[in-house]
Amino acid sequence: MSTHDAAPVRFDTKIAVLLREDLETWQRLNVTAFLVSGLGTQFPEVIGEPYADADDVAYLPMFRQPVLVFEGTKETLTDAHARVLSRALPRAVFTSDLFTTGNDRDNRAAVRAVPTAELDLVGLAVHGPKNAVDKVLKGARMHP
């Protein structure tokens, strides 16, 4: 049976990114890329097999499932952050301070300097069971 004949793969987990609705386009793209970059290192099962084209040129593996991108208000993001913490789901955060730093060390220091409840969140990524991720994202809408 060829891969074209196989039934679609269904996933019991979800990868989702929630962005604050007032971000510029370049910020949305940057935040999304940064947020999902850590998932494969912590959850290798979300990474598929390497790719190759018809000339046998190799390409890096990517996520084996879609990444759903949502947006919401600052309040929606704050509420989602509280829910993701209460459910102890794997998450990544991006704060507004990270737009002013230029390297990983300074990024981590910028987050470390702010108490959890005072983080100025502009993005949140979460991975987990579909229903739990859906509950975290309550009030958010699909990114246009």
Side-chain angles (χ1 to χ4, degrees):
M1 178 169 73
S2 76
T3 57
H4 296 292
D5 297 332
V9 176
R10 302 284 183 219
F11 301 101
D12 57 356
T13 61
K14 184 180 272 189
I15 299 170
V17 172
L18 174 57
L19 302 171
R20 203 165 73 192
E21 64 187 3
D22 62 348
L23 297 179
E24 299 289 333
T25 300
W26 73 266
Q27 291 172 318
R28 291 171 186 258
L29 296 169
N30 184 268
V31 170
T32 300
F34 267 92
L35 286 172
V36 299
S37 68
L39 287 175
T41 63
Q42 295 298 304
F43 302 96
E45 67 273 13
V46 302
I47 303 297
E49 297 296 320
Y51 286 73
D53 63 25
D55 294 322
D56 210 25
V57 174
Y59 301 95
L60 294 172
M62 296 184 282
F63 289 128
R64 64 182 186 96
Q65 67 188 94
V67 176
L68 302 173
V69 181
F70 296 82
E71 70 173 7
T73 64
K74 183 174 183 165
E75 294 74 23
T76 301
L77 205 56
T78 299
D79 292 345
H81 185 242
R83 288 191 291 268
V84 79
L85 293 177
S86 73
R87 288 173 171 75
L89 291 173
R91 70 260 170 200
V93 296
F94 199 104
T95 67
S96 63
D97 295 330
L98 302 187
F99 290 126
T100 65
T101 58
N103 61 74
D104 185 52
R105 184 189 68 237
D106 291 342
N107 286 351
R108 283 182 281 108
V111 174
R112 170 64 89 180
V114 180
T116 304
E118 296 175 23
L119 292 171
D120 185 16
L121 297 169
V122 298
L124 173 72
V126 60
H127 171 257
K130 283 183 179 182
N131 62 342
V133 172
D134 288 343
K135 288 177 182 173
V136 165
L137 297 173
K138 182 180 175 188
R141 59 191 175 279
M142 288 295 293
H143 191 282

